[in-house]
Amino acid sequence: MQQKSLKKNAIFNFIKSFMNIIFPIISFPYASRILLPEGIGKVNFANSIIEYFSMIAVLGVNTYAAREAAKIRDDKEKLSKFTKEILLFNFISTAIAYTLFVFCLFFVDKFSEYRILLIVCSTKILFFTLGTNWLFTAKEEFGYITLRHTSFQVISLILLFSFVHTSDDYLIYAGIGIFSNVGANIFNFIYARKFINLRQKSPIDLRKHAKPIFTFFGISCAGKINDLLDTTMLGFLSGNAAVGFYSASIKISTMVVELITSTVSSFLPRTSYLLEQKKNDEYQLLVTKVLQLTFFFCIPATIGLFVLSKPVIVLFSGEKYLPATATMQLLTFTIIAKTFNSFLNNLIITPQRKERFALYAQLIALFFNGLLNYFFIKKWGVFGAGLATLMVEIILPVVKLFASWKYVFNRSNLLSVSKSAFGAIVMYIAIVALFQNCTNDFLKILYSVSIGSITYAFVEISLKHETAIMILSAIKKKIINQKKKKL
């Protein structure tokens, strides 16, 4: 199979994640003002509960299957056999997950007031198996993934504005979110026939997949609980309004993380492929470039969002969410920790089969997550949940560094990160100076993003940052090619 362009893969993933930012920027301000903190809190609490059962349905399949399928993606017969085995694994786990959900629905007292909402949100559990997103990742079909994802986002946005008009419409709001996932997964299953033949007769061997899948399940399980524990414990300890404030504070930083890590995750199939082909020099070069690219964007994004926290909260959620400002400022620093963690997972830990370090990291983080959230939420409420989250997000990459040290720490990488940090500091000074003469929140964001980006780019180019020079060269090449076409 002809190798797909890494640049195009990264661009498609970036576009997909950019759409993940654009659509919430349009939808969340509308939904948060209509549903208010109470309604948003209900939906997010219900979704956090459903995620636990979804985690059981998915097992550890997505990452494991993407890695293994990437190695045999040129052999349709082997890929078809592998897909059938993974699907069977998922069908069994989905049945177990839904059985547990129905049991909890009737025997957990807290769920009684959310019963209908939980049932609506639970429908996505049934369709996780059909999604086979890992197959398209392994085949590097990022163009299809982006088109499909964006199409359903557009439809969901239209449905939101058409049917959500009062604070009582939180069930409809939840259903629209489910529609986007379910529709995309059904299309995935249909389109997958282009690459595999599920009617192919071949012996099924589930045993060989059991150990790695359950290892990844342990990682996924601990990771998902880590992601959801703050919201869940806030719901139990502080109520729906606290969850609504916390959701507003973490929403933007989460979208920024997804935007940056989207390019990182697109390299997993290629790194797995390079290691399988024993192309170690190419692998090391790719790791270095991606690491520098990651910090080039995540450091200024963190500093910029920290400065803009208050106007962002007001603009996207409304003044009623202003109590979440301090928490949002705290959570902006998770951008660096999360993107670095994503880099370690996708380019070192998973491709090199060092999953046990990821499992250790998640278990250690899970222990501290529960402990810190319990005491911090009781003492500081929403801010306490944010502080616990930040500390846990720092623990994860620190533990994983024990397996990644030699690939990360070298003179070139340290110099690159230092240049990014210096540029971000200069950018911070420029934005703060701008704030002295601006009172309009929208203009603060617009001017800060524009002037901050220009300032950062100028400093990085002046320092001859490798990533900045690479981007500048790509832009110049594009302009020259466009001029040649016109001639």
Side-chain angles (χ1 to χ4, degrees), residues 79-96:
L79 188 60
S80 298
K81 179 180 183 297
F82 178 79
T83 302
K84 286 170 65 177
E85 292 170 345
I86 296 300
L87 283 174
L88 182 56
F89 238 113
N90 262 165
F91 279 128
I92 296 170
S93 61
T94 299
I96 295 172

Side-chain angles (χ1 to χ4, degrees), residues 246-267:
Y246 187 73
S247 300
S249 68
I250 202 170
K251 188 82 174 178
I252 303 298
S253 62
T254 300
M255 289 191 292
V256 173
V257 169
E258 289 177 356
L259 184 62
I260 300 172
T261 57
S262 63
T263 56
V264 177
S265 62
S266 67
F267 293 105

Side-chain angles (χ1 to χ4, degrees), residues 346-415:
N346 287 287
L347 278 93
I348 299 175
I349 299 294
T350 301
Q352 296 203 27
R353 300 175 178 270
K354 295 182 177 181
E355 299 89 50
R356 68 182 185 280
F357 286 95
L359 182 58
Y360 298 155
Q362 292 291 358
L363 292 175
I364 293 170
L366 181 58
F367 170 76
F368 282 104
N369 202 356
L371 193 67
L372 295 174
N373 266 299
Y374 179 77
F375 289 107
F376 288 0
I377 290 174
K378 277 184 169 294
K379 189 169 184 178
W380 295 304
V382 176
F383 185 82
L387 181 59
T389 296
L390 175 59
M391 294 176 70
V392 167
E393 292 298 342
I394 292 172
I395 289 171
L396 285 167
V398 168
V399 175
K400 293 174 186 178
L401 277 174
F402 286 100
S404 314
W405 190 271
K406 67 178 181 178
Y407 299 100
V408 172
F409 288 96
N410 56 56
R411 185 177 179 278
S412 175
N413 288 339
L414 292 174
L415 183 61

Side-chain angles (χ1 to χ4, degrees), residues 186-328:
I186 291 174
F187 266 80
N188 274 3
F189 188 73
I190 296 171
Y191 188 65
R193 292 182 297 177
K194 176 181 177 182
F195 309 109
I196 57 172
N197 178 16
L198 293 179
R199 295 182 179 180
Q200 170 188 298
K201 293 183 178 180
S202 56
I204 300 297
D205 182 8
L206 299 183
R207 187 179 299 178
K208 67 180 180 181
H209 303 299
K211 184 177 179 180
I213 281 180
F214 282 110
T215 299
F216 276 105
F217 173 64
I219 297 169
S220 174
C221 185
K224 186 69 72 174
I225 294 173
N226 273 323
D227 289 340
L228 300 172
L229 198 59
D230 45 10
T231 302
T232 304
M233 291 186 72
L234 267 175
F236 278 103
L237 297 174
S238 299
N240 293 325
V243 175
F245 288 129
Y246 187 73
S247 300
S249 68
I250 202 170
K251 188 82 174 178
I252 303 298
S253 62
T254 300
M255 289 191 292
V256 173
V257 169
E258 289 177 356
L259 184 62
I260 300 172
T261 57
S262 63
T263 56
V264 177
S265 62
S266 67
F267 293 105
L268 172 59
R270 185 61 60 88
T271 51
S272 299
Y273 183 82
L274 290 174
L275 288 171
E276 182 70 13
Q277 300 298 317
K278 309 294 185 185
K279 297 180 179 180
N280 296 323
D281 291 338
E282 288 184 41
Y283 168 76
Q284 180 60 65
L285 181 61
L286 183 60
V287 168
T288 299
K289 284 185 176 180
V290 176
L291 176 65
Q292 295 177 4
L293 179 72
T294 298
F295 280 101
F296 180 82
F297 287 108
C298 76
I299 294 177
T302 298
I303 300 301
L305 190 57
F306 176 85
V307 179
L308 293 171
S309 291
K310 185 176 179 179
V312 165
I313 284 282
V314 173
L315 186 63
F316 294 115
S317 299
E319 292 188 358
K320 291 184 178 180
Y321 291 82
L322 274 175
T325 302
T327 306
M328 181 176 175

Side-chain angles (χ1 to χ4, degrees), residues 16-79:
K16 173 175 171 286
S17 294
F18 184 70
M19 292 297 105
N20 283 342
I21 289 179
I22 292 299
F23 284 102
I25 282 176
I26 299 171
S27 64
F28 189 72
Y30 176 81
S32 62
R33 285 169 171 80
I34 296 295
L35 301 179
L36 305 177
E38 187 78 11
I40 290 291
K42 284 181 180 179
V43 175
N44 285 344
F45 177 71
N47 276 322
S48 74
I49 297 298
I50 294 302
E51 285 296 323
Y52 290 104
F53 298 99
S54 300
M55 176 178 59
I56 297 172
V58 174
L59 281 178
V61 162
N62 285 337
T63 305
Y64 165 73
R67 182 187 71 185
E68 298 303 314
K71 299 174 182 177
I72 55 173
R73 63 189 184 186
D74 298 336
D75 189 325
K76 186 173 182 177
E77 184 176 338
K78 288 183 179 179
L79 188 60

